[in-house]
Amino acid sequence: MQNKLSFHQSSVTLEIIGLPDYSNNENKDQISIISQWKLIIINKPLIEGKIEHLGPIMNAFYIYSNLLIKNEIPLFESKLINIKADNLHIHNIVLKSSKPKVKPLILKIGNSLLADTINCFDQLNESPKVRIKKPDLSNNFPKKIKYGLNKKVKFVNFFIPPFIAICSLILFSYSFIYFHNPFENIEKKEQINLE
């Protein structure tokens, strides 16, 4: 008999259906072998799939939300899912089926539904009753985003050392000016000349 766990947040529900892994002496209420999952968003079509689809979809939502938070171009594209901002409050999601000749599912959700969906994914990640491979965000950034991040790091690494050198030079020069008073030297020379 399969177990079913639900994670709720306001208008979004994530259902995980699967079995415990008895070879690891797991509790009968545990889910380690996920056979199916369902994402239910109020007033939207049902989203469901296999376990191999869940990780990439979760990653897509996490990466997209990180782009929004960082005020970068909110756009995520992959073979399975595309997410882009329509405006500040509406997000277009295109879910592509792995089955041939099935049209993609297109959803428009607002900020509250996006936040609720991510909250359900967070609950799943934190649940002790479900064992899933945690999404590795660092390896799943699209090439465009990776390139942008590398470009920024290279830019910072290029300008930080000269900036520190210039600041050090200014500070070092200022200390010489502070301790060395040219008017004292002129007065001493005049006193020597007078004698």
Side-chain angles (χ1 to χ4, degrees):
M1 178 145 182
Q2 292 194 339
N3 295 330
K4 180 170 135 181
L5 287 173
S6 296
F7 304 96
H8 305 282
Q9 180 62 37
S10 298
S11 52
V12 178
T13 301
L14 176 64
E15 288 182 0
I16 303 295
I17 301 163
L19 297 165
D21 186 358
Y22 291 115
S23 64
N24 286 336
N25 295 325
E26 287 182 357
N27 187 343
K28 65 178 182 174
D29 297 330
Q30 187 97 16
I31 295 178
S32 290
I33 304 165
I34 298 173
S35 57
Q36 187 181 10
W37 59 272
K38 297 177 184 179
L39 184 63
I40 303 154
I41 302 173
I42 197 164
N43 296 328
K44 303 291 178 192
L46 175 70
I47 301 168
E48 59 184 340
K50 298 176 184 175
I51 183 60
E52 57 265 16
H53 300 144
L54 181 60
I57 288 175
M58 288 173 64
N59 284 347
F61 274 88
Y62 283 131
I63 292 168
Y64 179 78
S65 63
N66 282 335
L67 292 172
L68 282 174
I69 291 169
K70 293 177 182 177
N71 285 329
E72 295 182 20
I73 297 169
L75 174 66
F76 180 89
E77 294 177 335
S78 72
K79 290 188 290 186
L80 188 63
I81 182 172
N82 292 350
I83 310 176
K84 70 176 185 175
D86 202 12
N87 57 43
L88 290 174
H89 310 289
I90 303 294
H91 311 281
N92 291 319
I93 300 170
V94 179
L95 291 158
K96 305 166 196 171
S97 177
S98 56
K99 297 175 183 174
K101 297 182 182 177
V102 176
K103 289 184 179 179
L105 177 64
I106 300 170
L107 303 171
K108 286 183 182 275
I109 63 171
N111 289 336
S112 61
L113 289 177
L114 177 67
D116 291 348
T117 303
I118 290 170
N119 188 293
C120 287
F121 291 149
D122 288 343
Q123 289 178 45
L124 171 63
N125 280 327
E126 298 299 319
S127 174
K129 291 190 172 186
V130 181
R131 279 187 163 187
I132 60 167
K133 185 179 177 187
K134 304 293 186 227
D136 183 16
L137 297 178
S138 61
N139 292 333
N140 291 314
F141 276 99
K143 289 180 183 177
K144 289 180 186 176
I145 297 170
K146 278 185 181 178
Y147 178 72
L149 291 174
N150 288 340
K151 203 169 157 183
K152 286 181 183 177
V153 169
K154 286 179 184 176
F155 178 79
V156 168
N157 287 342
F158 182 75
F159 281 104
I160 290 293
F163 177 75
I164 292 172
I166 290 170
C167 289
S168 299
L169 187 62
I170 291 170
L171 187 64
F172 191 67
S173 301
Y174 178 74
S175 65
F176 270 121
I177 292 171
Y178 182 76
F179 290 117
H180 177 71
N181 188 349
F183 295 112
E184 281 182 15
N185 288 342
I186 293 171
E187 288 175 5
K188 285 181 183 177
K189 286 181 182 177
E190 286 177 358
Q191 285 178 353
I192 292 172
N193 288 342
L194 289 173
E195 292 175 357

